């Protein structure tokens, strides 16, 4: 059986996106924090749709042009706004951003998430 990670199903089209470039955009201080959070999720996305970060790491990624980190509240607000806009899943938080399997998939990275205590299912 064909792996779910290879595509989105019959008749569904998809792009390949550079993780490296998503990492660059996530660090672009000219962009709003909620949009940068989305690109951080694309950058770190693992094989089960989770993008894990160490404590304080997302704030470091979202630092301004002077390297100043946003407050925890600002990071939480960025995550909340990205959820409101439907860019990341509702279960996301500053330690793990999640993307819908209908939106993005990757064949790279972990198959588990310690933040959500999640593990891939094998059929
Ligand atoms: Zn997770």
């Amino acid at each position: 059986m064909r792996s779910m990670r290879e595509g989105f199903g019959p008749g569904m089209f998809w792009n390949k996106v550079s993780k490296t470039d998503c990492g660059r955009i996530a660090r672009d201080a000219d962009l709003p924090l909620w949009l940068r959070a989305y690109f951080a999720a694309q950058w770190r996305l693992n094989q089960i749709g989770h993008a894990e970060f160490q404590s304080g790491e997302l704030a470091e990624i979202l630092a301004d042009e002077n390297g100043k980190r946003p407050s925890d509240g600002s990071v939480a607000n960025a995550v909340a706004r990205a959820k409101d806009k439907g860019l990341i899943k509702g279960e996301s938080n500053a330690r793990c951003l999640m993307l819908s399997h209908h939106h993005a998939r990757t064949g790279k990275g972990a198959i588990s998430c310690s933040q959500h205590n999640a593990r891939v299912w094998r059929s």
Side-chain angles (χ1 to χ4, degrees):
M1 194 173 123
R2 193 174 145 93
S3 167
M4 286 291 284
R5 291 190 298 276
E6 290 173 13
F8 296 87
M12 298 291 285
F13 298 95
W14 50 286
N15 294 331
K16 289 185 178 178
V17 177
S18 163
K19 282 181 171 289
T20 303
D21 208 40
C22 288
R24 178 189 65 79
I25 295 167
R27 292 177 182 278
D28 186 340
D30 287 339
L31 297 173
L33 293 181
W34 56 266
L35 186 58
R36 294 170 64 189
Y38 166 74
F39 279 98
Q42 287 279 13
W43 176 24
R44 292 292 188 81
L45 188 66
N46 75 14
Q47 295 194 57
I48 59 167
H50 295 240
E52 282 194 84
F53 300 88
Q54 299 297 314
S55 180
E57 188 182 9
L58 185 58
E60 189 178 313
I61 292 164
L62 299 179
D64 69 15
E65 63 275 12
N66 299 312
K68 184 174 182 292
R69 296 179 183 196
S71 67
D72 288 350
S74 293
V75 173
N77 187 54
V79 171
R81 289 194 68 186
K83 287 181 195 179
D84 286 346
K85 292 172 186 297
L87 294 175
I88 60 176
K89 290 179 75 174
E91 302 97 309
S92 300
N93 57 59
R95 295 293 304 276
C96 179
L97 303 173
M98 292 178 62
L99 295 179
S100 163
H101 287 288
H102 301 290
H103 179 67
R105 293 183 193 182
T106 183
K108 291 276 186 193
I111 54 170
S112 64
C113 172
S114 58
Q115 288 304 309
H116 290 102
N117 212 6
R119 212 159 259 293
V120 73
W121 60 95
R122 295 281 188 205
S123 57

